[in-house]
Amino acid sequence: MSDPRSDVPPDRSLSTPDADMPDWLRTDEDNPWRLALEGSGAGIWDWDLVTGQQTHSERWEKMLGYSGNELAGGYEAFAALVHPDDLERVDTAVSAYLDGSADRYAIDLRMRCKDGAWSWVVSRGMVVRRDAQGKPLRMLGTHTDINARKKAEAELLDLNAQLLENAQLLQTTLTSISQGILVLDAEMRIRRFNPRVCELLDVPISFLATRPTLQELGGFQRERGDFGADGALVEAHARGYVQTDGRAGAVPASYLRHTRAGAVLEVKTQILPDGGMVRTFADVTNYVRAEEARKRLDLLLDATQSLAEVGGWEVDMETDRVFWTEGVYRIFETSPQEYTPTTAMGTAERFFTPASMARIRDSYFNATNPSTAHDLELQAVTALGNHIWVHSKGTSVWRDGRPISRTSVLQNITERKQAQAALRETENLWKLALESTGDGVWDWNIPSGVENYSKRLLEMYGFEEGELRGRVATLDGRTHPDDLAQMEQDRRAHFDGLTPTYHNEHRILCKDGSWKWVLTRGMLISRDAQGKPLRMIGTHTDITERKNSEALILQQAFFDTLTGLPNRRMLRDRLEQEIKKSRRDDHVLAILFIDLDHFKEVNDTLGHDSGDRLLVEAARRIRDCVRESDTVARMGGDEFTVLVTELEDAKSLEPILQKILASLERVFQLGTEQVFVSASIGVTLYPLDAREIEDLLKNADQALYVAKGAGRNRYSFFTPALQEAAQTRARLANDLRTGLTDQQFRVVYQPIVELATDSVHKAEALIRWQHPTRGLVSPASFIPIAEASGLVVDIGEWVFQQAAQQVQTWRRTLHPDFQISVNKSPVQFHHDGVGRAPWALQLQVLGLPGSSIVVEITEGLLLDTSPSVAERLLELGDAGIQVSLDDFGTGYSSLSYLQKFDIDYLKIDQSFVRHLIPNSTDLALCKAIIVMAHELGMKVIAEGVETEQQRDLLAAAGCDYGQGYWFAKPMSAEDFGTFMAARTEKSHLG
């Protein structure tokens, strides 16, 4: 560290310290100014900047623990006492003052005391003499002890740090806890809150940040209807308090309230000593619902025990006391007032027969083989003298070779025993009855493996009596290898008690080498004491014809019935495979959406038959324009999709596009008529435009939209600019949001006619949108948008409510069993139970049974693996609401799903009905669907019936109901009433 006086020139004439010094700083002892300064507790220092000599007052040295004149003078001696961390700051401060860059010299520093400790001092000084050029020659100053101040500052810093830490901890706690918290002052103004309270109350943070009063918060909530009409969402005892913001009644310590979203909040309040309060909000929805479910379960359990005739019996062998539940009294036809259980054996002897008592005693006192579990079927005589059978099952606790307690569950199994006896007595009779149905009967002795076959069963497979060995392995060995695993699994499930009956479909090899499909059903009719199966009887039913029909239907699931082209499902499978190949081989894949221009005009002017011939020819021409390795699919209507694979680039695609346009421009000869159409093509490329299937299909659709909008008979490649089409659909989605509130929707009804009687007791509810500027918008246009945005949930709920109110009226005015079908989107199934009352409950409120409504679903819903879908379908069935499968045969038809879910109606799609003529493939398909549905216990509704011939063919095929323009178009409720009145009048006249 350099001496800061190094730039001061030497001046030997100033060696006398007091020369030219102001009187108040002279060192003579009788100087009153110096005495006063030292009396203040400060130490004085005098520094000759020329010689470096320093002198200190006695007080200056005593502050550091030295006696007077003990310390040497000089800047180096002073610097040696300064704390190393402070020395540079002192040097800088002195230099700044001496060169004039600082107007004063004052600094806090630490100096070493004589005992080695560090002492804080504040050093202040001033130049008292300068030379003729103004350079400083001498400084005088003071040192003041500031240890106490520094200690206080440190303590204050520690206190501030602790307060900051506590405040941060409190804020973190408030932010992290699951409860919402409001802290209010004595004037009931919100002083503090956490984010959780904003979530629970659905109140903006910005609003609470203004520190509103409790009254202002209550007003805000009431205006939104948070408390319900007249506070109905608040627990009764707190309702008055909440409605008046605390001005009426005492502050309730705790109460429950419901939110508009359906949650349940527990509100607790703690009054503070200053008159303020802390209010907490906890979401207890799950607890409240669980408690309600527990109460319902308790009631259900009581009812179940009563219906099942079950009771509990407990014996304490050490005190020889017996305890019964109410169920045991019911079983023995007595009551606690009429009979009190006494000792264990005495009570048992009162009711059980001697033979049963022997078994009971053996289970109690068989010390050589003590068992902790028992399972007995016993005979007893009730208090009224009735002979019954009971099943006793439970556990025993043994100690030192003797039982000390036993707990048993008793069930009255008298009816089961009687039924078993009756079954044995009538076994031969029902075997004969089964034979008369055309089924083959088998009787299996399970331990021995011997199986007896009826004559009819052998005939089903082309054998005579005695040709097949009567062993279970015989038919198992003739079962198709692909069916064996499932057959054995179903059989084991019945043996293990998982299914009430054995049920399986498999193929069996006939004598002539052919395979025959059979439905085998059976039931165990006896088990041994350990529950092992002993005997099983069942049947074989020939279902080969039904299986062939199913195979035909499944084929239709992959190919378009009109053109023979792959359908949408097959296209998607191939697209997935082609994308994998393109990714592997680094090739370009093109997706073409083709829409026939002016096709509707052909349909409208020449009829559907001509339109179908045009589609078949168009499909042939498109196939001829591409390679065999490419895929041409029909998406429905006049829409085709082409996958062109292994392209080098987009340019190599253009000749194919030109070829397709030219081919479809040529004249179509439809019988005696010649028609001209063209095509619009939308093109997207993988991987240039997108890599995901959905994105590619969306791009092709947008490109097709542009091609049609540009005048048709052309193709358009997808570009990012085509997003404008998506924006248009988004605007339509925005319009949908106001459609319900502005009452732009209306419901029309189309009658469903019972073909056998020509009566109408059913109708389908259909929605229509009368847009204020777009006019009548087709459901085909807005329902997909509503589903994508989730608005279909509110729209579907509104349609259901309209239909429920209408069926209530028509059951009163038209027919007591009138039924309305309501379409339910898969999106609605996933949102059921979210803040909305179940449909069954809404029907119950209207006084309607579940059978008044039929829910129509699509086949795609049945493929949804979400457990919520299955639960919703089961809930509908439990409520008596029937389910109809719409557009059957056009989508993802799967017979396994028909067996898995409880479906009441199949609706044959109009694409099968439209071309119905005698001896046609469509008629064969319709017949197959009808037979299959009836076999599965379902009824069939045919859609799109437009001609008398179609109606007659369907009726002859056994179809239950018809729907379509031949009977009536969809109409308003008022027109529907007129339609029904006209039919009634016509029937009376006839």
Side-chain angles (χ1 to χ4, degrees):
M1 175 66 67
S2 62
D3 190 336
R5 62 183 176 82
S6 57
D7 292 336
V8 179
D11 187 352
R12 302 302 178 189
S13 64
L14 299 177
S15 58
T16 303
D18 291 339
D20 299 327
M21 185 185 306
D23 290 342
W24 62 278
L25 287 176
R26 289 201 322 273
T27 57
D28 40 350
E29 295 182 359
D30 58 350
N31 185 340
W33 297 103
R34 181 183 180 92
L35 294 175
L37 190 59
E38 290 197 339
S40 68
I44 302 173
W45 52 266
D46 180 357
W47 184 12
D48 188 330
L49 297 175
V50 177
T51 65
Q53 183 64 30
Q54 289 185 355
T55 58
H56 316 108
S57 68
E58 183 178 358
R59 175 60 183 160
W60 191 97
E61 293 191 17
K62 286 182 177 181
M63 286 173 61
L64 302 179
Y66 296 95
S67 59
N69 300 320
E70 188 175 351
L71 291 172
Y75 183 80
E76 289 76 8
F78 163 74
L81 296 175
V82 176
H83 194 288
D85 294 344
D86 300 340
L87 189 58
E88 185 175 353
R89 291 191 303 107
V90 172
D91 187 20
T92 301
V94 171
S95 299
Y97 175 65
L98 293 180
D99 64 19
S101 58
D103 57 358
R104 65 190 183 93
Y105 166 70
I107 188 171
D108 295 351
L109 69 152
R110 288 164 289 183
M111 298 193 67
R112 188 185 300 277
C113 299
K114 186 175 182 180
D115 61 4
W118 294 100
S119 178
W120 277 98
V121 298
V122 56
S123 177
R124 298 186 180 90
M126 62 180 293
V127 174
V128 297
R129 186 164 29 149
R130 299 178 182 272
D131 63 10
Q133 288 73 38
K135 290 185 178 181
L137 301 177
R138 186 177 183 181
M139 281 185 69
L140 292 179
T142 62
H143 277 188
T144 304
D145 187 336
I146 59 171
N147 280 303
R149 192 193 81 191
K150 285 292 185 178
K151 181 179 180 182
E153 289 176 354
E155 291 175 348
L156 182 59
L157 287 174
D158 290 342
L159 179 59
N160 286 339
Q162 185 176 358
L163 289 175
L164 179 60
E165 181 180 356
N166 290 341
Q168 292 174 340
L169 178 61
L170 175 60
Q171 187 60 41
T172 301
T173 302
L174 288 176
T175 303
S176 302
I177 62 176
S178 62
Q179 292 178 319
I181 296 180
L182 292 178
V183 181
L184 298 98
D185 59 20
E187 297 177 352
M188 292 297 104
R189 185 173 294 278
I190 295 174
R191 308 304 299 179
R192 184 177 290 276
F193 64 91
N194 65 349
R196 179 60 173 158
V197 78
C198 299
E199 297 175 13
L200 294 176
L201 298 184
D202 191 21
V203 175
I205 292 179
S206 59
F207 175 66
L208 293 185
T210 63
R211 297 186 175 180
T213 63
L214 184 61
Q215 181 178 359
E216 291 169 339
L217 175 59
F220 175 83
Q221 293 179 294
R222 272 195 306 279
E223 185 176 345
R224 292 193 312 182
D226 285 8
F227 304 131
D230 299 324
L233 296 180
V234 180
E235 204 167 9
H237 75 275
R239 199 165 294 158
Y241 171 80
V242 170
Q243 287 294 87
T244 60
D245 301 320
R247 293 191 296 273
V251 179
S254 176
Y255 63 89
L256 298 180
R257 56 157 292 204
H258 290 72
T259 68
R260 292 176 298 156
V264 182
L265 302 182
E266 182 182 32
V267 184
K268 291 186 176 181
T269 303
Q270 178 69 46
I271 305 300
L272 300 177
D274 64 354
M277 64 183 183
V278 175
R279 180 160 290 171
T280 63
F281 302 82
D283 187 341
V284 295
T285 307
N286 291 337
Y287 170 78
V288 170
R289 290 178 178 169
E291 185 65 14
E292 292 173 350
R294 184 191 64 77
K295 292 178 180 178
R296 290 195 300 270
L297 187 60
D298 288 344
L299 292 174
L300 180 61
L301 182 60
D302 289 342
T304 302
Q305 289 181 343
S306 177
L307 290 172
E309 296 188 79
V310 173
W313 182 320
E314 186 175 86
V315 177
D316 186 333
M317 301 296 291
E318 293 184 318
T319 62
D320 203 16
R321 297 181 63 188
V322 178
F323 303 92
W324 281 2
T325 67
E326 186 67 28
V328 178
Y329 286 102
R330 284 194 295 266
I331 291 173
F332 291 133
E333 297 183 317
T334 184
S335 66
Q337 294 75 28
E338 298 172 347
Y339 179 78
T340 301
T342 55
T343 63
M345 289 298 109
T347 301
E349 289 173 350
R350 168 66 180 81
F351 294 99
F352 292 106
T353 64
S356 295
M357 280 302 304
R359 299 187 64 194
I360 293 172
R361 288 191 179 93
D362 183 64
S363 69
Y364 267 100
F365 305 115
N366 188 356
T368 59
N369 186 27
S371 176
T372 58
H374 62 275
D375 190 335
L376 307 171
E377 290 187 355
L378 307 168
Q379 284 183 295
V381 181
T382 71
L384 298 181
N386 294 315
H387 289 262
I388 63 171
W389 279 90
V390 296
H391 181 198
S392 174
K393 187 173 183 178
T395 59
S396 300
V397 178
W398 292 70
R399 182 186 300 157
D400 300 328
R402 63 185 184 88
I404 62 172
S405 67
R406 170 172 285 193
T407 302
S408 303
V409 175
L410 265 63
Q411 183 178 22
N412 189 341
I413 60 170
T414 306
E415 290 186 4
R416 191 188 81 190
K417 283 289 189 178
Q418 293 171 345
Q420 289 175 346
L423 179 64
R424 285 190 294 270
E425 293 175 1
T426 60
E427 187 175 296
N428 290 330
L429 292 177
W430 71 258
K431 279 186 179 180
L432 293 173
L434 286 175
E435 288 281 349
S436 67
T437 65
D439 291 347
V441 179
W442 49 267
D443 186 344
W444 179 17
N445 185 299
I446 298 172
S448 67
V450 174
E451 191 168 35
N452 295 317
Y453 308 127
S454 71
K455 181 180 179 181
R456 170 60 187 148
L457 186 141
L458 294 171
E459 291 173 350
M460 286 174 61
Y461 306 119
F463 294 99
E464 300 291 337
E465 291 187 76
E467 284 193 84
L468 282 182
R469 187 184 180 195
R471 304 287 298 180
V472 68
T474 301
L475 285 187
D476 283 0
R478 303 187 73 85
T479 300
H480 197 287
D482 294 345
D483 303 336
L484 270 173
Q486 185 62 49
M487 183 183 72
E488 292 172 355
Q489 179 180 331
D490 293 341
R491 185 184 291 170
R492 175 52 55 191
H494 181 54
F495 283 3
D496 295 341
L498 302 178
T499 57
T501 60
Y502 165 56
H503 183 283
N504 179 261
E505 295 179 358
H506 58 269
R507 287 161 288 183
I508 289 184
L509 183 64
C510 298
K511 184 178 180 179
D512 62 5
S514 63
W515 291 98
K516 181 167 288 189
W517 274 101
V518 295
L519 165 63
T520 180
R521 288 172 286 201
M523 177 182 291
L524 285 169
I525 62 171
S526 64
R527 295 177 182 266
D528 64 13
Q530 287 72 43
K532 293 182 179 179
L534 296 176
R535 187 180 179 193
M536 188 175 180
I537 297 178
T539 62
H540 277 186
T541 305
D542 187 345
I543 59 171
T544 305
E545 184 177 351
R546 194 194 86 193
K547 282 292 186 178
N548 291 337
S549 298
E550 290 177 0
L552 183 61
I553 293 173
L554 288 175
Q555 183 182 9
Q556 302 307 313
F558 291 95
F559 292 91
D560 176 51
T561 57
L562 178 64
T563 63
L565 295 177
N567 63 10
R568 187 184 302 270
R569 184 178 185 182
M570 174 73 80
L571 172 72
R572 191 176 186 90
D573 290 343
R574 290 191 180 177
L575 180 55
E576 290 176 353
Q577 297 304 317
E578 292 299 340
I579 285 178
K580 292 178 182 178
K581 289 172 58 179
S582 296
R583 185 184 303 122
R584 181 189 65 216
D585 300 335
D586 196 24
H587 283 153
V588 175
L589 166 69
I591 301 176
L592 282 56
F593 273 18
I594 303 174
D595 188 87
L596 299 182
D597 304 326
H598 311 297
F599 174 75
K600 185 177 183 301
E601 288 85 337
V602 176
N603 251 359
D604 292 343
T605 56
L606 302 181
H608 290 299
D609 290 340
S610 294
D612 288 347
R613 287 198 294 272
L614 189 152
L615 291 173
V616 172
E617 175 62 16
R620 185 193 64 77
R621 294 184 187 184
I622 296 173
R623 275 201 308 265
D624 291 344
C625 293
V626 296
R627 302 161 298 180
E628 289 188 6
S629 59
D630 299 326
T631 298
V632 180
R634 183 185 176 209
M635 309 303 286
D638 60 340
E639 297 175 356
F640 298 88
T641 298
V642 180
L643 305 184
V644 183
T645 61
E646 299 180 1
L647 293 170
E648 294 297 331
D649 51 37
K651 291 183 179 179
S652 59
L653 180 64
E654 294 197 11
I656 299 175
L657 297 172
Q658 295 287 1
K659 188 177 180 181
I660 293 174
L661 290 178
S663 175
L664 295 176
E665 268 188 318
R666 298 198 309 269
V667 63
F668 284 81
Q669 187 71 42
L670 306 178
T672 60
E673 299 287 342
Q674 288 187 336
V675 299
F676 293 88
V677 297
S678 59
S680 299
I681 306 177
V683 184
T684 189
L685 302 175
Y686 171 90
L688 305 178
D689 297 334
R691 292 180 175 271
E692 301 298 328
I693 290 178
E694 295 303 329
D695 293 336
L696 289 167
L697 298 178
K698 179 180 67 176
N699 293 348
D701 187 56
Q702 292 181 5
L704 174 62
Y705 183 84
V706 171
K708 294 181 74 70
R712 306 183 182 186
N713 193 26
R714 65 193 64 217
Y715 58 84
S716 172
F717 281 86
F718 170 79
T719 65
L722 298 186
Q723 295 298 332
E724 178 61 30
Q727 294 174 0
T728 300
R729 288 190 287 273
R731 286 192 288 270
L732 192 60
N734 289 333
D735 291 346
L736 272 173
R737 299 180 188 279
T738 59
L740 271 180
T741 56
D742 292 350
Q743 298 182 351
Q744 298 172 7
F745 293 102
R746 57 189 177 91
V747 177
V748 295
Y749 301 90
Q750 187 172 32
I752 300 173
V753 180
E754 188 173 18
L755 296 180
T757 64
D758 198 41
S759 59
V760 177
H761 298 150
K762 298 176 182 289
E764 181 178 1
L766 303 166
I767 190 170
R768 297 292 183 263
W769 183 14
Q770 189 65 44
H771 193 281
T773 58
R774 301 175 187 267
L776 189 63
V777 182
S778 167
S781 299
F782 70 83
I783 290 298
I785 297 174
E787 287 183 321
S789 64
L791 292 172
V792 75
V793 177
D794 291 332
I795 294 174
E797 189 74 12
W798 177 82
V799 171
F800 165 75
Q801 291 168 0
Q802 298 298 308
Q805 294 171 8
Q806 191 60 58
V807 78
Q808 184 183 43
T809 299
W810 284 345
R811 282 196 160 219
R812 186 174 60 254
T813 60
L814 298 181
H815 193 279
D817 295 327
F818 204 91
Q819 197 176 51
I820 292 183
S821 300
V822 180
N823 290 280
K824 191 163 189 176
S825 164
V827 179
Q828 291 175 261
F829 274 86
H830 290 290
H831 286 76
D832 272 1
V834 183
R836 293 175 177 82
W839 285 8
L841 180 59
Q842 295 186 51
L843 291 175
Q844 184 179 349
V845 171
L846 292 173
L848 292 170
S851 60
S852 62
I853 291 294
V854 176
V855 173
E856 292 202 8
I857 62 174
T858 59
E859 291 177 306
L861 179 69
L862 301 185
L863 290 180
D864 195 322
T865 58
S866 170
S868 64
V869 172
E871 291 172 5
R872 298 291 89 79
L873 288 173
L874 285 174
E875 289 171 2
L876 291 174
D878 292 342
I881 299 175
Q882 294 181 312
V883 177
S884 176
L885 188 57
D886 200 7
D887 300 334
F888 182 75
T890 62
Y892 305 98
S893 304
S894 175
L895 301 185
S896 62
Y897 286 113
L898 292 182
Q899 294 176 337
K900 178 179 178 182
F901 296 102
D902 189 9
I903 306 298
D904 300 285
Y905 298 96
L906 285 186
K907 297 193 76 172
I908 302 177
D909 186 70
Q910 59 183 346
S911 61
F912 295 102
V913 177
R914 183 183 304 139
H915 309 290
L916 275 185
I917 58 174
N919 303 318
S920 64
T921 302
D922 285 328
L923 180 58
L925 287 173
C926 288
K927 287 181 177 180
I929 293 172
I930 293 167
V931 170
M932 179 198 66
H934 288 172
E935 284 289 328
L936 295 176
M938 306 175 193
K939 292 189 176 182
V940 181
I941 303 171
E943 294 183 299
V945 179
E946 298 183 354
T947 68
E948 183 177 10
Q949 184 184 52
Q950 293 169 357
R951 181 202 64 185
D952 294 343
L953 289 173
L954 288 167
C959 184
D960 301 287
Y961 299 96
Q963 179 181 352
Y965 281 13
W966 171 254
F967 305 107
K969 294 183 179 180
M971 63 193 82
S972 67
E974 181 180 356
D975 291 342
F976 195 94
T978 304
F979 165 80
M980 291 295 290
R983 287 178 63 87
T984 303
E985 182 179 355
K986 181 179 178 181
S987 64
H988 285 286
L989 292 175

